[in-house]
Every structure is written in C-alpha cells, then in structure tokens.
Amino acid sequence: MINNQILKIKNSIGEKVKLVAVSKTKPISDIKNIYDKGQLIFGENRVNELVQKHEALPKDINWHFIGHLQTNKVKYIAPFIKLIHSLDSLKLMKEINKQAKKNNRIIECLLQFHIAKENSKFGLNLPIAQKILESIEFSEMKNISICGVMGMASFTDNKEEVKNEFKTLKNYFEILKDNYFNNQSHFEHISMGMSGDYEIAINEGSTMIRIGSLIFGER
Ligand SMILES: *Cc1c(COP(=O)(O)O)cnc(C)c1O
C-alpha cells in the first residue's frame, strides 16, 4: 500500500518538482521499503532520530532537516545533512556555517518564512530575512549556501487562504532572487506543500513538496 502511494504521487507531480518523503516517527523498515522503490530524499524533524536513521540506512540517502533546529544540535547533523529547510535566524546561520567549515563542507539551506495565520515562534518575515542577507556576517560566510525558501501554510480547510499563503511565499522568493541572488542558479527552491495541500502548492509554484502521511500513513 505504501509503495503504490509514492508511485502515484511521483507520477502526478512530474519531473520538475522534488519529493521529500517525510519519515519522522516512522521505523527504519518503512524507510527501507520506500528507498527500495527508488526514493532517495527523506525528511526528518528531530536531530536524535535523524542521526540514528542516518547510521542505520544506506549512505546514498539525501537527508533533509525540516523541523526547528536548535543551534546546539547542528554539530550532529553537519557531517552529512543535504539540505536544511528551517533556517530562521542569523544565530543559527552562524552555527551552521561554523559546523560546515569544521566538516569541510558547504551546507545548503532554505530560509523558512512564517506564512500561516497561526501563531508560531518559528519562521522569518521579509524585513528580517533582508536584514540577515544584507549583514556583514552573512557576506563573510563561506560554508553555507542559501538555495531558496520554505514555508508551511495554515492548517485549514479554507483553500483560498492556503493558496494566498503560498502566493506570499512565492513572492518572497522572487523578491529575494531579484535583490540578493540575481543570476545565482543555486537559489532555486520553493519548499511548500504537504500531504493535505501539495496540489495547491504546486499550482502556486512549489519546486519541492514534503509529504509524510500520504506516503507512510498517519502518524
Ligand atoms: C510533518 C511535516 C511534513 C509532512 O506532513 P504530512 O502532512 O504528514 O505530509 C511536512 N513539513 C514539515 C515541516 C513537517 O513537520
């Protein structure tokens, strides 16, 4: 059942949109099952859980970190993490850059924006993101690569509202691209869309969807 779902989703989204299979809380055996179907990108939101899964599973998996990341935990994932979706402060950025340097790597990150109506401690707004990108500190970071934006829409049945929030994120992406990443092809990702709203997200320009329950079943 799991396998059919992922093939269905892959067929429906086409080649241009990347699929992150969100495997948080799911056992190694479920992940292996999906991996055996050719899926190589998996998303996790807890550092300890991710580290254990990384150790246990094949090394050609691309692990994405999608949850709130505490600065004191960056060091555990810095040796292998492929993409961090949840960059939401200059402080975290500095730590990622520092740990990436220690590991002789450049770590790719997305700027996470707060686009939902719900209150959340996490996620940037546009002025703060601009301030970070204009900072001297950022200009001196050599081991971090900003590859786009990420956001989560409100948890609501109101499709119009969800659509507008995705439009907002796409708009932020365009503004940042024009002002800070002009002609930089690595600034390319708009990570938006989950099990309940990924079709709306793709219509609004998503390049990367993060799907958990639709692939692995309810958590
Ligand atoms: C859990 C999670 C997802 C996947 O959610 P589903 O509704 O199960 O598809 C996507 N993005 C983030 C940031 C998550 O925490």
Side-chain angles (χ1 to χ4, degrees):
M1 172 252 170
I2 284 181
N3 301 340
N4 290 342
Q5 273 306 339
I6 190 156
L7 295 180
K8 243 192 195 161
I9 297 167
K10 274 201 162 158
N11 282 332
S12 78
I13 66 175
E15 296 278 294
K16 297 192 307 283
V17 178
K18 285 196 177 171
L19 171 62
V20 181
V22 176
S23 48
K24 63 190 187 197
T25 77
K26 297 295 175 180
I28 304 277
S29 55
D30 282 9
I31 302 175
K32 188 65 173 40
N33 196 346
I34 300 293
Y35 170 85
D36 287 340
K37 293 287 152 192
Q39 175 68 21
L40 290 179
I41 307 175
F42 290 89
E44 291 282 337
N45 70 342
R46 298 261 158 111
V47 167
N48 297 351
E49 189 178 335
L50 170 55
V51 167
Q52 283 176 17
K53 287 175 173 174
H54 169 257
E55 274 168 19
L57 281 153
K59 295 298 170 282
D60 60 341
I61 288 181
N62 294 323
W63 291 104
H64 288 198
F65 195 80
I66 62 169
H68 180 65
L69 182 55
Q70 288 172 279
T71 48
N72 61 348
K73 297 207 169 156
V74 174
K75 56 178 176 286
Y76 302 114
I77 61 171
F80 66 87
I81 197 73
K82 179 73 182 166
L83 180 65
I84 296 172
H85 290 233
S86 45
L87 183 52
D88 63 357
S89 71
L90 182 58
K91 181 175 168 230
L92 179 59
M93 201 176 217
K94 285 183 195 165
E95 181 62 16
I96 294 170
N97 185 65
K98 181 178 152 190
Q99 296 299 334
K101 191 172 177 188
K102 271 192 188 166
N103 285 277
N104 221 343
R105 301 185 66 212
I106 293 173
I107 296 184
E108 300 188 337
C109 297
L110 306 178
L111 295 169
Q112 180 176 357
F113 284 92
H114 180 63
I115 54 169
K117 284 246 160 61
E118 292 122 27
N119 281 332
S120 164
K121 287 177 287 179
F122 309 124
L124 298 160
N125 60 32
L126 192 58
I128 292 180
Q130 288 176 308
K131 210 171 150 190
I132 291 173
L133 295 173
E134 287 165 16
S135 69
I136 294 173
E137 286 110 318
F138 174 62
S139 71
E140 291 171 348
M141 290 180 196
K142 299 211 163 43
N143 296 76
I144 196 162
S145 175
I146 306 296
C147 300
V149 301
M150 180 273 218
M152 274 193 278
S154 295
F155 190 68
T156 170
D157 290 333
N158 185 340
K159 292 199 164 137
E160 202 58 31
E161 188 177 319
V162 170
K163 188 171 122 184
N164 284 330
E165 290 168 1
F166 287 148
K167 273 192 199 300
T168 298
L169 186 61
K170 162 89 174 175
N171 186 240
Y172 289 169
F173 173 83
E174 298 295 346
I175 290 170
L176 296 181
K177 183 150 184 75
D178 287 349
N179 288 288
Y180 305 98
F181 301 98
N182 209 357
N183 294 320
Q184 296 184 35
S185 59
H186 68 267
F187 191 82
E188 59 179 339
H189 290 304
I190 305 176
S191 168
M192 60 184 188
M194 309 179 14
S195 291
D197 56 20
Y198 76 93
E199 282 152 319
I200 304 173
I202 290 173
N203 273 329
E204 297 308 323
S206 171
T207 68
M208 196 178 265
I209 57 175
R210 310 177 307 270
I211 308 285
S213 44
L214 215 52
I215 295 172
F216 292 99
E218 293 300 323
R219 286 181 295 273

